[in-house]
Amino acid sequence: MVLVVSEEVREALDARRPVVALESTIIAHGLPRPRNLQVALELEAVVREQGAVPATIAVLDGRPHVGLDKQQLERVANEDGIRKLGHRDLPPAVAAGASGATTVSATALLAALAGVRVFATGGLGGVHREWTVTQDESADLGLLARTRITVVCAGVKSILDVPATLQRLETLGVTVAGYGTDRFPGFYLSDSAHPVDWTLTSPAQVAAVMRAQDALDMPESALIVANPVPEEEQLDPALHARVLADALHACEAEGVSGQGVTPFLLDYLVRHTDGASLSANLAAVRGNVRLAGRIAAAWAAG
């Protein structure tokens, strides 16, 4: 099999010990060097503090890896030419012997293939603004509609059309639950101003929903656990609204479209909030990773 599962991750899965999948795009493309490697190591340490095994995922020389050692993490963080891989990119990357960091969709797929049930990330992709014109929708949604994995996230990126994304997830049959909240979080913000139908308040409750998915023999769809960034660590909502409006105007003025929209808007937010959006992003990721470790432990205990 082309999939390479690290010895530590394989032993944990075989022993039914908790494992948390982590994406690698944040390492290769989301943060500047050397901070990217520092954050990668920090997030793995957070998983271990919860008693779980981290499984950072990437493709190296055409081999998808579930679980990286320190040398491999350093390679993803420092090597020039590391591609950004969604799940559609995996076959050509494997065939070409390419190396790449995995996005949410590729990470979720490879984690599920390896038998990892819990995945922590920052924010999901979703339906883009002006969808009726562009038909631009993240591949995350379709992949999560057919992949049995629990994704702990801070909602969807606030640059997206949040209500349209929630409607799309409902249409696709993907379960969404707020963690300790009846409001859908807004990535940089604790509250997107949109409600969720279900609220879960403990890792044990999340694990119970996961077991119910299996007991009901439900279609192979994901469970999204939307965990808000703490209010004291969120981006100031007024600043967010003002800079995002400016970013959207700048994006239109410069003719940015397709896959270029999200990185343009996120970079604009970082630059025009003096890095505050990045700090909120990292605070959300840390909280999600911590919660994912606890959920994985509750799942393994069952």
Side-chain angles (χ1 to χ4, degrees), residues 154-282:
V156 299
K157 296 179 176 69
S158 55
I159 60 176
L160 303 172
D161 187 329
V162 176
T165 301
L166 287 170
Q167 180 60 55
R168 185 74 176 123
L169 287 167
E170 180 182 349
T171 300
L172 291 169
V174 178
T175 302
V176 179
Y179 190 81
T181 180
D182 61 359
R183 312 288 285 180
F184 193 65
F187 190 43
Y188 299 125
L189 306 177
S190 300
D191 184 355
S192 72
H194 299 282
V196 291
D197 293 327
W198 295 98
T199 300
L200 302 172
T201 59
S202 70
Q205 284 189 337
V206 178
V209 174
M210 294 164 65
R211 293 187 191 99
Q213 284 181 308
D214 294 347
L216 290 166
D217 197 24
M218 294 283 288
E220 294 291 313
S221 60
L223 166 63
I224 294 175
V225 179
N227 181 41
V229 63
E231 286 190 17
E232 63 273 15
E233 294 185 289
Q234 72 173 341
L235 183 61
D236 177 71
L239 176 63
H240 174 271
R242 175 175 60 79
V243 175
L244 178 56
D246 292 344
L248 291 168
H249 286 132
C251 188
E252 183 178 0
E254 296 187 27
V256 180
S257 62
Q259 289 186 333
V261 171
T262 294
F264 177 90
L265 294 176
L266 294 179
D267 179 67
Y268 191 101
L269 280 164
V270 171
R271 290 186 288 109
H272 290 81
T273 62
D274 294 325
S277 66
L278 180 58
S279 296
N281 183 1
L282 290 176

Side-chain angles (χ1 to χ4, degrees), residues 34-115:
R35 192 177 187 189
N36 57 346
L37 179 59
Q38 295 167 356
V39 169
L41 295 171
E42 176 192 351
L43 295 179
E44 290 209 342
V46 171
V47 172
R48 295 188 190 280
E49 288 168 5
Q50 308 310 310
V53 171
T56 302
I57 295 177
V59 177
L60 299 174
D61 303 318
R63 304 294 300 279
H65 287 257
V66 178
L68 304 179
D69 60 28
K70 189 170 184 293
Q71 184 178 7
Q72 291 167 330
L73 279 174
E74 291 172 348
R75 182 177 171 189
V76 173
N78 297 320
E79 185 174 297
D80 294 330
I82 293 284
R83 299 178 64 113
K84 188 175 187 178
L85 304 177
H87 70 280
R88 69 168 189 172
D89 303 306
L90 293 174
V94 168
S99 297
T102 53
T103 65
V104 166
S105 68
T107 304
L109 176 61
L110 293 173
L113 289 174

